[in-house]
Tab-separated table of all heavy atoms in Angstrom:
chain	number	residue	atom	x	y	z
A	230	HIS	N	-42.456	-3.786	4.746
A	230	HIS	CA	-43.318	-4.937	4.459
A	230	HIS	C	-44.759	-4.503	4.231
A	230	HIS	O	-45.477	-5.084	3.411
A	230	HIS	CB	-43.233	-5.950	5.604
A	230	HIS	CG	-44.207	-7.076	5.501
A	230	HIS	ND1	-44.187	-7.989	4.465
A	230	HIS	CD2	-45.264	-7.425	6.295
A	230	HIS	CE1	-45.164	-8.869	4.629
A	230	HIS	NE2	-45.830	-8.538	5.728
A	231	THR	N	-45.204	-3.467	4.936
A	231	THR	CA	-46.585	-3.000	4.776
A	231	THR	C	-46.780	-2.209	3.491
A	231	THR	O	-47.923	-2.003	3.059
A	231	THR	CB	-46.998	-2.110	5.967
A	231	THR	OG1	-46.222	-0.891	5.954
A	231	THR	CG2	-46.792	-2.831	7.288
A	232	LEU	N	-45.682	-1.775	2.864
A	232	LEU	CA	-45.781	-0.917	1.683
A	232	LEU	C	-45.479	-1.622	0.372
A	232	LEU	O	-46.084	-1.319	-0.660
A	232	LEU	CB	-44.813	0.277	1.817
A	232	LEU	CG	-45.082	1.291	2.927
A	232	LEU	CD1	-43.967	2.323	2.959
A	232	LEU	CD2	-46.421	1.982	2.722
A	233	LEU	N	-44.527	-2.545	0.391
A	233	LEU	CA	-44.028	-3.118	-0.853
A	233	LEU	C	-44.930	-4.236	-1.364
A	233	LEU	O	-45.454	-5.026	-0.576
A	233	LEU	CB	-42.605	-3.646	-0.650
A	233	LEU	CG	-41.558	-2.583	-0.286
A	233	LEU	CD1	-40.206	-3.231	-0.015
A	233	LEU	CD2	-41.441	-1.555	-1.406
A	234	PRO	N	-45.118	-4.319	-2.682
A	234	PRO	CA	-45.939	-5.385	-3.266
A	234	PRO	C	-45.406	-6.771	-2.920
A	234	PRO	O	-44.194	-6.961	-2.740
A	234	PRO	CB	-45.839	-5.116	-4.768
A	234	PRO	CG	-45.460	-3.676	-4.892
A	234	PRO	CD	-44.593	-3.390	-3.697
A	235	GLU	N	-46.308	-7.740	-2.873
A	235	GLU	CA	-45.925	-9.108	-2.504
A	235	GLU	C	-44.984	-9.754	-3.513
A	235	GLU	O	-44.297	-10.729	-3.188
A	235	GLU	CB	-47.172	-9.967	-2.338
A	235	GLU	CG	-48.026	-9.580	-1.136
A	235	GLU	CD	-49.222	-10.517	-0.957
A	235	GLU	OE1	-49.318	-11.495	-1.723
A	235	GLU	OE2	-50.038	-10.256	-0.061
A	236	LYS	N	-44.949	-9.218	-4.736
A	236	LYS	CA	-44.073	-9.819	-5.761
A	236	LYS	C	-42.601	-9.726	-5.364
A	236	LYS	O	-41.770	-10.495	-5.862
A	236	LYS	CB	-44.295	-9.156	-7.113
A	236	LYS	CG	-43.887	-7.691	-7.180
A	236	LYS	CD	-44.112	-7.118	-8.581
A	236	LYS	CE	-43.689	-5.652	-8.671
A	236	LYS	NZ	-43.879	-5.102	-10.025
A	237	TYR	N	-42.283	-8.785	-4.487
A	237	TYR	CA	-40.913	-8.695	-3.990
A	237	TYR	C	-40.783	-9.664	-2.821
A	237	TYR	O	-41.329	-9.443	-1.745
A	237	TYR	CB	-40.589	-7.276	-3.553
A	237	TYR	CG	-40.714	-6.262	-4.664
A	237	TYR	CD1	-41.550	-5.158	-4.539
A	237	TYR	CD2	-40.006	-6.414	-5.852
A	237	TYR	CE1	-41.666	-4.228	-5.555
A	237	TYR	CE2	-40.117	-5.492	-6.883
A	237	TYR	CZ	-40.956	-4.399	-6.727
A	237	TYR	OH	-41.077	-3.483	-7.744
A	238	GLU	N	-40.055	-10.743	-3.014
A	238	GLU	CA	-40.052	-11.853	-2.066
A	238	GLU	C	-39.142	-11.645	-0.873
A	238	GLU	O	-39.300	-12.316	0.145
A	238	GLU	CB	-39.669	-13.143	-2.806
A	238	GLU	CG	-40.656	-13.524	-3.903
A	238	GLU	CD	-40.259	-14.789	-4.633
A	238	GLU	OE1	-39.147	-15.316	-4.351
A	238	GLU	OE2	-41.037	-15.249	-5.481
A	239	VAL	N	-38.192	-10.728	-0.999
A	239	VAL	CA	-37.210	-10.533	0.081
A	239	VAL	C	-36.980	-9.031	0.294
A	239	VAL	O	-36.829	-8.275	-0.663
A	239	VAL	CB	-35.864	-11.218	-0.244
A	239	VAL	CG1	-34.851	-10.985	0.876
A	239	VAL	CG2	-36.062	-12.708	-0.493
A	240	ILE	N	-36.966	-8.616	1.555
A	240	ILE	CA	-36.589	-7.258	1.940
A	240	ILE	C	-35.242	-7.354	2.648
A	240	ILE	O	-35.080	-8.133	3.593
A	240	ILE	CB	-37.637	-6.631	2.879
A	240	ILE	CG1	-38.962	-6.436	2.132
A	240	ILE	CG2	-37.150	-5.299	3.438
A	240	ILE	CD1	-40.105	-5.982	3.012
A	241	GLY	N	-34.273	-6.580	2.185
A	241	GLY	CA	-32.910	-6.720	2.698
A	241	GLY	C	-32.457	-5.534	3.524
A	241	GLY	O	-32.520	-4.391	3.080
A	242	GLY	N	-32.012	-5.813	4.739
A	242	GLY	CA	-31.440	-4.783	5.599
A	242	GLY	C	-29.927	-4.876	5.616
A	242	GLY	O	-29.357	-5.964	5.444
A	243	GLU	N	-29.268	-3.749	5.817
A	243	GLU	CA	-27.812	-3.708	5.955
A	243	GLU	C	-27.447	-2.897	7.182
A	243	GLU	O	-28.179	-1.985	7.574
A	243	GLU	CB	-27.156	-3.046	4.736
A	243	GLU	CG	-27.374	-3.731	3.415
A	243	GLU	CD	-26.678	-2.975	2.286
A	243	GLU	OE1	-25.466	-2.664	2.443
A	243	GLU	OE2	-27.330	-2.669	1.285
Side-chain angles (χ1 to χ4, degrees):
H230 172 63
T231 66
L232 294 176
L233 297 176
E235 292 183 4
K236 66 179 181 179
Y237 300 123
E238 298 179 354
V239 179
I240 294 173
E243 298 180 50

